[in-house]
Amino acid sequence: MHEMSIAMNIVNIACKEAQKDGATSISTIELDVGKLSGVMVDSLNFCYDSACKGTLAESSELMINEVPAMALCKNCGESFEIDSFMALCPKCESYEIDILQGRELRLRAVSVN
Ligand SMILES: [Zn+2]
């Protein structure tokens, strides 16, 4: 499953960070997940516990901050919220848009004990 490898990846990075700080365990991992990142938040939550098994992050909590997707119209300069890559400008109906945010999958913070 796609989300399982993402979860393992996140836990892996977080554990390395924690080890650098000399921590013995992780209490919380905070993530930014963009609406267009293609990550299913429910599946990620579901996979998280097994990804943490046997690591410093075992029995830690995953906090997901969902980032809304925003685009900027190249034609008229309007910025607006979108829910797919195929969105069009609500003002001038142009498809010429730049996606400003919403694709991120980022480790925001790791809290250690
Ligand atoms: Zn426009």
Side-chain angles (χ1 to χ4, degrees):
M1 198 192 291
H2 182 53
E3 274 71 18
M4 189 65 210
S5 59
I6 294 171
M8 289 175 79
N9 215 347
I10 290 160
V11 169
N12 192 17
I13 297 166
C15 287
K16 277 184 190 155
E17 287 295 314
Q19 268 166 346
K20 247 191 268 170
D21 293 344
T24 51
S25 68
I26 292 171
S27 55
T28 317
I29 295 179
E30 227 180 301
L31 267 192
D32 282 343
V33 178
K35 245 192 153 167
L36 300 179
S37 64
V39 176
M40 307 288 290
V41 169
D42 287 350
S43 309
L44 191 58
N45 267 320
F46 182 77
C47 296
Y48 183 73
D49 281 348
S50 18
C52 288
K53 277 246 156 65
T55 73
L56 291 184
E58 185 150 8
S59 68
S60 66
E61 199 188 332
L62 178 65
M63 278 170 59
I64 295 178
N65 172 43
E66 284 187 81
V67 182
M70 296 289 296
L72 179 75
C73 177
K74 287 184 192 174
N75 187 42
C76 73
E78 178 86 351
S79 64
F80 50 96
E81 205 176 321
I82 54 172
D83 54 15
S84 87
F85 287 106
M86 289 305 290
L88 79 175
C89 174
K91 207 169 162 189
C92 72
E93 301 193 335
S94 168
Y95 277 106
E96 292 283 303
I97 59 168
D98 267 334
I99 296 180
L100 300 176
Q101 63 168 51
R103 279 188 288 213
E104 46 276 270
L105 176 61
R106 193 168 44 214
L107 190 63
R108 178 195 270 260
V110 180
S111 307
V112 295
N113 292 316

